[in-house]
Amino acid sequence: MTKAVGEFYLAEDDEVAVKVGPGKRHEFPAVPCDGIYPDDAALRWQVLLTGSSGEDSVATGRLRDVVPMANDGFTVFAVPDELRTALAVAGGERLRTTAVAWAETCYPDYEISPDAAVGLLERLAALAARGVEHELSLYCWYFAP
């Protein structure tokens, strides 16, 4: 079975954000997220970092699609600003706790070790902080064949 490939990246807006995808070169600051389903992961991270519940994207299990997934398995979604900010301000221990909890709950769907999960969230937090600083939105594209 082929694993998903993708990346989280910063862009000015939706119009700019749609210019990415598999095999497309770009200059956006980015963090690869191969081997996971980042839409599911983002929803779980938001719960773990913010405790969100109720009538929001976590409760409904939906993120805002910029390019809705079609039969080709490609999608682009916008990361909620609440999650971008939570990632940007989360400290080292908070990120570590979140990453380990996520890695433990997502196995066997993803074969990601707690250490690899921590590394991913640390890189993503740095990217999110850059987005907050420069007023850029956080997006993710992925391809799941």
Side-chain angles (χ1 to χ4, degrees):
M1 177 164 133
T2 305
K3 297 211 181 224
V5 296
E7 63 187 355
F8 287 92
Y9 61 98
L10 298 174
E12 295 172 8
D13 56 35
D14 291 1
E15 187 175 317
V16 174
V18 300
K19 297 178 182 179
V20 300
K24 293 183 181 177
R25 302 184 102 202
H26 64 78
E27 299 297 322
F28 299 120
V31 171
C33 60
D34 296 349
I36 68 168
Y37 291 99
D39 51 349
D40 294 339
L43 291 171
R44 183 71 180 134
W45 297 333
Q46 188 163 342
V47 168
L48 292 167
L49 286 170
T50 70
S52 292
S53 62
E55 298 300 317
D56 59 13
S57 60
V58 175
T60 61
R62 301 274 309 143
L63 298 167
R64 187 173 63 77
D65 291 328
V66 177
V67 176
M69 185 175 284
N71 291 337
D72 64 359
F74 176 77
T75 188
V76 175
F77 66 87
V79 172
D81 287 341
E82 179 183 30
L83 176 55
R84 182 195 63 170
T85 302
L87 284 164
V89 300
E93 187 56 34
R94 177 77 185 218
L95 281 177
R96 178 174 252 316
T97 301
T98 298
V100 170
W102 169 65
E104 289 173 352
T105 60
C106 69
Y107 186 83
D109 294 332
Y110 316 138
E111 293 181 10
I112 188 164
S113 71
D115 287 341
V118 169
L120 173 60
L121 277 185
E122 286 174 343
R123 290 186 305 278
L124 191 53
L127 184 68
R130 185 173 176 184
V132 168
E133 179 182 349
H134 296 285
E135 298 181 3
L136 297 170
S137 295
L138 183 60
Y139 293 90
C140 182
W141 72 264
Y142 80 96
F143 175 67

